Amino acid sequence: MDDLNCKSASTPSMPLFSASSKYHHDRKGLSRRRRWLVVDFDGTCTEHDTTPLLPRLAAFATRSRSTISSSAARTVVGADSKCIEDESAGNVEYDHKQDLERRLSQFNELETEFLKRYSDAKSNLFQNDNPATKETQSKKERVQSMHDALEALDEPSNVVTRMVSESRVLHGLGHADSSELEGILQLHGVSTITTASAEEDGINGQDSIELENKVVIRLRNGCVTTLARILSQSQPEHGIDTKCLGWSLAVLSINWCPSLIDASLVQPVLRKKRSILGETVCETEVPIWCNHVNGEGTVTLNIPGALTKRDKILELRNCLEDAHDTDTKDGNNIIIYVGDSSTDLAALLEADIGIIIGSSTSTVAMAERSGLLVLPLQQRHEHGFGNVKDDRMERRQTQILWRVDGWHEIDDMLKELDDQWG
């Protein structure tokens, strides 16, 4: 963290901003970027968890590379031709169907193992859950108990992730960059398909995820439109030096494949932004903070769970305060976090505004069990939402989380906040 020169709650393995990022401390890119919308990926921006798609993507990426290697080997002429043909024989004879079936079977076993471990961990937590004890706890003690529970629930995922690495079921996925994955998604499915367009195409339910030889990722209706809109309104007007350039966007996820997040979410958002502005080039930077799978299928846990997500939000706030250390009380620094699962709870609570999207009753139940107040975002004015510029710290201290059914509600709130700043 020395290269950031900003405070941090922890020392994560992945820096918040790389040295090449415009947001890095040395480049002073945060000086006019005070409003941040940070979003989870799976279940928040997408309709479904994309994790089950990863072995399928890995198989497609392997087939794509084996096809290229085979073509290259067959075009070699001269004295070295036989040698190269022999070395690439495995690629020439690559059996995609057999490889895909093997990967899916292995991954299904790993999913079953995860569900068993997670169920056991959850049962152990609830067996030791004493409502009478919680009633005597302070707010701080309740939040700490929630953090302990979240850490315990993250452990099954971390254990099974190590098993995924050892199985090499994702071998080849890390070799595919965002552009290659976009090509795979376009060739074998649809990179971004909303609920509305899925219904028009007759795609619904589990069919949209497990189509034979397809990789279909459905984004929540309104997600791309909302994210593109706030980014398109964050452009500096020509000749005008504004104090704040509006909203910045970041993705904070426990997903294993940053290239998938970029290909299926970030790039569609940036294309939409270019369309709105009538531009052909887009220099907008969208940081992706997540885990990482390499070419061998080994997963590095940069974001192992709920508490690391919380630390990232705190780290971002500290960096924003460092960037505006002479003007930190004017209310212009704000972080909104949107998530859908219990893994997001600690980050939701750490943000200035935390929003739970979707219909997960278990996430809301866990929040309420920890003494948090979860209210519909549409009722925000009935519960002291007020002026964000004045009461953001008070709202964090009251420990209120908001819930929404879809992105249209979030878009309405963001427009309201834009009006507050003028």
Side-chain angles (χ1 to χ4, degrees), residues 105-361:
S105 175
Q106 280 185 294
F107 200 79
N108 183 60
E109 293 176 3
L110 291 166
E111 279 189 303
T112 301
E113 179 66 22
F114 165 73
L115 291 173
K116 178 182 181 301
R117 288 173 179 267
Y118 186 84
S119 178
D120 291 345
K122 197 171 182 179
S123 296
N124 291 335
L125 281 176
F126 291 157
Q127 284 177 359
N128 299 325
D129 195 17
N130 189 335
T133 301
K134 287 188 177 295
E135 290 182 3
T136 63
Q137 289 180 322
S138 65
K139 286 184 178 180
K140 184 176 181 180
E141 289 173 331
R142 283 192 178 192
V143 170
Q144 183 57 52
S145 295
M146 181 186 74
H147 289 168
D148 293 341
L150 292 173
E151 195 166 26
L153 291 176
D154 283 335
E155 183 59 21
S157 176
N158 295 339
V159 170
V160 174
T161 297
R162 289 192 288 271
M163 296 170 66
V164 168
S165 295
E166 292 169 1
S167 73
R168 301 181 82 243
V169 69
L170 300 182
H171 179 270
L173 181 58
H175 289 309
D177 60 14
S178 176
S179 297
E180 188 172 345
L181 280 183
E182 274 198 278
I184 291 172
L185 291 172
Q186 290 168 4
L187 182 63
H188 297 290
V190 183
S191 59
T192 55
I193 181 166
T194 65
T195 304
S197 61
E199 291 173 353
E200 291 174 3
D201 294 338
I203 299 172
N204 50 58
Q206 192 67 15
D207 290 340
S208 67
I209 296 182
E210 296 294 347
L211 293 175
E212 183 65 27
N213 282 328
K214 297 290 182 182
V215 181
V216 180
I217 297 176
R218 283 170 39 178
L219 296 182
R220 284 184 178 271
N221 196 25
C223 175
V224 169
T225 300
T226 298
L227 300 183
R229 183 189 66 79
I230 64 170
L231 290 180
S232 65
Q233 294 181 351
S234 298
Q235 297 292 103
E237 296 184 31
H238 182 69
I240 299 178
D241 185 18
T242 56
K243 189 175 184 180
C244 178
L245 290 180
W247 293 98
S248 294
L249 173 67
V251 182
L252 176 57
S253 171
I254 60 172
N255 191 284
W256 298 329
C257 187
S259 295
L260 176 61
I261 297 175
D262 188 47
S264 61
L265 174 65
V266 175
Q267 292 308 314
V269 167
L270 297 183
R271 281 195 293 271
K272 181 72 171 179
K273 178 193 173 184
R274 291 196 298 270
S275 175
I276 292 172
L277 298 177
E279 297 177 342
T280 57
V281 178
C282 180
E283 297 182 353
T284 300
E285 180 180 334
V286 179
I288 298 174
W289 303 313
C290 69
N291 299 311
H292 179 265
V293 59
N294 67 13
E296 298 302 312
T298 301
V299 178
T300 300
L301 290 174
N302 300 312
I303 311 290
L307 299 190
T308 311
K309 281 195 164 190
R310 173 205 61 187
D311 290 348
K312 284 294 180 184
I313 298 296
L314 178 57
E315 189 179 352
L316 176 59
R317 174 178 295 112
N318 288 338
C319 286
L320 287 172
E321 291 177 354
D322 281 357
H324 311 113
D325 55 3
T326 60
D327 192 18
T328 57
K329 298 184 184 296
D330 67 357
N332 281 326
N333 293 348
I334 185 169
I335 301 172
I336 298 175
Y337 182 67
V338 185
D340 72 297
S341 70
S342 58
T343 309
D344 298 304
L345 279 177
L348 289 165
L349 188 57
E350 184 60 43
D352 297 306
I353 298 175
I355 301 174
I356 301 172
I357 189 170
S359 57
S360 174
T361 55

Side-chain angles (χ1 to χ4, degrees), residues 385-396:
F385 189 85
N387 191 312
V388 174
K389 296 174 73 171
D390 297 330
D391 70 354
R392 60 197 175 95
M393 181 61 74
E394 178 183 345
R395 199 167 47 257
R396 284 209 307 275

